[in-house]
Amino acid sequence: MAGNAAKSTSGKGAAGPLPLVSVNHISLVCRSVEDSMDFYENVLGFFPIKRPGSFNFDGAWFFSYGMGIHLLQSPNPEAMPKKQDINPMDTHMSFQCESMQVVESKLVEMNIKFIKRTVEEGGVYVDQLFFHDPDGFMIEICNCENLPVEFLGSACPLNCQFNASSTNAGALQQQQQQRSTSCAPVATMSHQMLRVP
């Protein structure tokens, strides 16, 4: 089975891409589940939710902003790499916010080290804040809704252009569903996403 999957990773077969709906959760391995629980609940505002009791390993589940965070206790926490430098080009998870100024002030109050970046594209400016969770996994906070989402080539058959803000999320989802029922290619998006600048 694994061999068959490995042979068809190009995604260009006649069957088209996988029929996905949305992001469900992201799993993160932690040195200390307790420290990470405190961070994701009290810094990022996630809510703890019930986790299956049949699991035979330590962890915790959280949910907010339409997605889940699953924390997994590392069996060998001392062997986990320790990141010190904040590199915007590193793998990270990004969240939009209502006020960059408020977020920056709260990070200062919480004594969380961060760096700031600004991206300019065609006169549109996107502000970014980057910082680490307790295990060095990077978090970005941005006002990325300022930058319109423009599909490339034939990825959007309706020649549409969306702004990735919550006000347009419903319209985007509705058009995705319409294209799905007509067998046209579907591009799914989430308000929170893994981003690479």
Side-chain angles (χ1 to χ4, degrees):
M1 186 66 70
N4 292 337
K7 294 178 182 177
S8 58
T9 55
S10 67
K12 296 181 180 180
L18 300 176
L20 307 182
V21 176
S22 65
V23 173
N24 181 269
H25 71 273
I26 296 172
S27 291
L28 301 171
V29 178
C30 313
R31 288 188 186 86
S32 167
V33 167
E34 289 74 18
D35 290 346
S36 294
M37 288 174 64
D38 178 70
F39 176 87
Y40 282 94
E41 182 173 2
N42 297 314
V43 176
L44 294 187
F46 279 81
F47 299 95
I49 62 174
K50 185 177 180 180
R51 179 174 177 263
S54 59
F55 287 156
N56 60 356
F57 53 91
D58 292 336
W61 284 12
F62 287 83
F63 188 86
S64 193
Y65 317 114
M67 65 175 288
I69 297 288
H70 293 184
L71 304 177
L72 308 172
Q73 176 62 51
S74 170
N76 190 7
E78 296 305 318
M80 293 181 62
K82 297 181 180 180
K83 294 183 180 180
Q84 300 295 332
D85 296 333
I86 302 174
N87 178 11
M89 294 296 292
D90 201 355
T91 299
H92 60 278
M93 177 167 47
S94 178
F95 298 90
Q96 294 179 178
C97 70
E98 294 181 354
S99 170
M100 294 295 291
Q101 292 76 16
V102 171
V103 169
E104 183 174 350
S105 296
K106 285 186 173 291
L107 290 175
V108 171
E109 291 174 9
M110 296 174 179
N111 198 29
I112 294 177
K113 180 183 177 182
F114 64 90
I115 63 171
K116 301 169 63 174
R117 292 286 187 271
T118 299
V119 177
E120 188 273 334
E121 175 69 21
V124 176
Y125 292 85
V126 173
D127 299 310
Q128 302 167 300
L129 295 171
F130 296 93
F131 54 96
H132 285 155
D133 78 354
D135 298 295
F137 184 79
M138 193 163 63
I139 308 296
E140 175 192 2
I141 309 295
C142 67
N143 53 6
C144 298
E145 74 277 5
N146 291 346
L147 193 64
V149 174
E150 299 183 24
F151 292 87
L152 299 177
S154 60
C156 186
L158 299 182
N159 194 28
C160 50
Q161 177 174 315
F162 292 98
N163 181 300
S165 66
S166 58
T167 56
N168 290 337
L172 176 59
Q173 184 177 15
Q174 184 178 7
Q175 289 209 10
Q176 287 170 354
Q177 292 172 346
Q178 291 173 352
R179 294 200 301 274
S180 177
T181 56
S182 63
C183 300
V186 178
T188 345
M189 298 180 57
S190 172
H191 185 67
Q192 293 79 32
M193 63 191 76
L194 289 176
R195 301 174 56 87
V196 178

